[in-house]
Amino acid sequence: MRSLRVTTVTAIALGAALVLSGCGRGAEDGAGENGSVAPAAEGEADGVIEVWTAGGHAENLEVLAEPWLKANPDATLKVTDVPWDQVITKVQTATAAGTGPDIIMTGSDQTATIIGMGAVDEVPDGVYDTDDFYPAAIDSATGEDGVYAMPWYVETRFLFYRKDIAAELGLSAPKTWEDVETMSAAFQARPGGTYGINLPRPVEQPAQVLVPFDAQAGGSLTDGEKWTIDTPELVSALDFYAGFFQRGEAPLEKTDATFENGGTPMFISGPWMLDVFSEAIEAGTAPADFTLDSVGYSVFPTGPGGSNDQYIGGGNLGVFSASDNKASAWSFLSWVGEQEQQEQWFTLQNELPANIAAGDLPAIQENPVTQTLMEQMKDTVAMPNYPAWSQISDLLGKYSEQVASGQITSEEAAKEIQAQADSIGFGW
C-alpha cells in the first residue's frame, strides 16, 4: 500500500491523462442503471462530504479539493486521515453502526474486504471508464458482481541491484529467473560477500513476491470459481523463493547486511527507494563508496511461464453504503479522477495516476526511472481480490517459512494451503 514516492534527484514531473466520463444524473431520481445513486450534476453538489483517507493523504486532498468546492459552493469537505492498520477495523465499526464517512479510501489489498462487508456501493454509471485504467488496478476494486471503487493511484515494484558490484563481476541486469539465481550466487560468493539477495522473510508478508512469482511461472491462485493453489506453478514459485534462503543467499533472520553496504546487493521494491538512498547519502549515513550511480534497476526478469508480472499496489476510493450524501460524494470522486486533478495530485503527493494514458507523457518517457516504472506497470498482477485473501496470505507466509527452512517441500506446502483454502473459500 505504500505510495509511489519519486526522488527529487531524478527531477521527475509526472502528469496523467485520465479521461473519465462526464458527471450527470442517470435518471431524474438520481439512480443509475445499476441501482446506485448517480453523481450530482456539475456545480450542484451540496452538503458535507466526509472522507476517510489513509496513510497521510488528508492534507493534500483538502488542497486538491479547493477548486471543486468553489465550483460547488453549497458543498463542504471534511477529511480525516486513518492509519493503514486501522482502516478495516474502523470500517467494520462504522458498517455495524450504520454510520460513517461518505467516501472511503482503502489500499488495493484492503478493498475486497470492505466490499465483502457490504460497506461500499457499486460504482454508478458516469463516474469513470474502467477501460482507461490498468486492468490489475480495476481488479483490486472489483467485487463478486461489479466494480465498487475507483483506483486513485497505483504503484508497483521492480528489481534493484548493485550495478557497480555487478560490473566488477562481469554481470548485467538479469533477464530470467536463472539470471537472478546466477547473480545472487555471484554476489554472495565474491570476496567479502555476505548474501546475494534480500527477499521478504516469511514473517514479512511474502505473498507480495509469491503472487508475482506464481504469475511469472504461468499460474494464478484462483480461477474465479475456486482457489487454485496446489499447482505446478505455485510449487515452482515456492521453490524459486525458498531456494535463496536454503542456499544461504537470502537472510532468514534480521541482519546488519544492507544494500548500501553491499551485504544484500539485490532486492525487489519501488522507485521510492531512490529517495531513501538519496537521503542517506545526503545525511552521510551511507557508506562513503555508495552513490546513486551504484544503484541499478530493471523490470523484473521473466519467469518460466513467460511473464514478468509484479504486484500492483495503490489506493482506491469508494462511497460508503450508509452515506446520506451519495450523489455529491460520487460527483467529488469523479472530479478527483479527471486528468487535471490527476496531474495536480502527482504534484502534491507524488503518486502515479492509475490511468494507462499517463505513460504517454514526455516527462515519464524521457526519464530512466519512470521508463522502468511504466514498463513494469504494463505487466502487473493484483492480489486475489476476495475478502478471505488475508487468511490465504497468512497461510502462504506460514508454509513458505517451513519450505524456506527445509521442514517441508514446496509440494507439501501447496497441498496443505489448498486444503485449508478450500475450507475457507472466498469469503463473499
Side-chain angles (χ1 to χ4, degrees), residues 357-382:
D360 293 335
L361 294 174
I364 296 175
Q365 297 296 332
E366 295 170 6
N367 184 281
V369 178
T370 47
Q371 283 176 355
T372 303
L373 173 65
M374 298 309 297
E375 184 68 22
Q376 186 65 70
M377 283 299 304
K378 297 175 184 177
D379 298 296
T380 51
V381 60

Side-chain angles (χ1 to χ4, degrees), residues 23 57 75 103 125 141 148 168 198-199 218 221 265 267 272 274 296 304-305 308 314 318 320 322 371 387 423-424:
C23 294
H57 290 78
I103 296 175
D125 301 324
Y148 286 80
E168 292 172 3
N198 196 12
L199 291 168
L221 296 184
F267 68 99
W272 56 80
L274 293 169
N308 70 330
F320 194 55
Q371 283 176 355
S423 298
I424 294 169

Side-chain angles (χ1 to χ4, degrees), residues 192-213:
T194 307
Y195 297 104
I197 190 170
N198 196 12
L199 291 168
R201 295 179 299 137
V203 295
E204 297 171 335
Q205 291 300 315
Q208 290 192 8
V209 294
L210 285 172
V211 170
F213 289 168

